[in-house]
Amino acid sequence: MGSRAIRDGKGHRAYRRQQAALKRRTHAQNLPCGYGSLSGWGCGEEIDTTLPPTHKRSFTADHDDALANGGKLVGQVLVPMHRDCNARKGDNAAPEVWAAT
């Protein structure tokens, strides 16, 4: 199942609610780009939540585990990011670190 089908299917409204709540929290607490990202993506700069959605520095909610890599639409922790930082991240996965044996 492609990521487009996942986004348009069951859970889409729940995702939109999570996204809106994160945007409100980002505005209220002045969260930086990439705040809480386990993969380390994001520039760390302030996000202007009043910018139009098409602006390259506008707010987006990122799935740390990309949908294209098997991440779930709902149930993941969303990370606030600038639109251009999120586009740069794409569907890159967090690096896995294995202990030497």
Side-chain angles (χ1 to χ4, degrees), residues 38-88:
L38 299 176
S39 62
W41 285 90
C43 66
E45 295 177 9
E46 180 179 333
I47 301 173
D48 183 354
T49 57
T50 63
L51 291 172
T54 55
H55 192 280
K56 70 178 187 173
R57 301 299 281 174
S58 67
F59 168 86
T60 61
D62 176 63
H63 290 87
D64 227 19
D65 188 12
L67 299 178
N69 296 335
K72 295 184 179 8
L73 181 64
V74 180
Q76 274 195 66
V77 174
L78 296 178
V79 176
M81 285 187 126
H82 293 115
R83 179 165 301 287
D84 62 340
C85 293
N86 197 349
R88 202 170 23 255

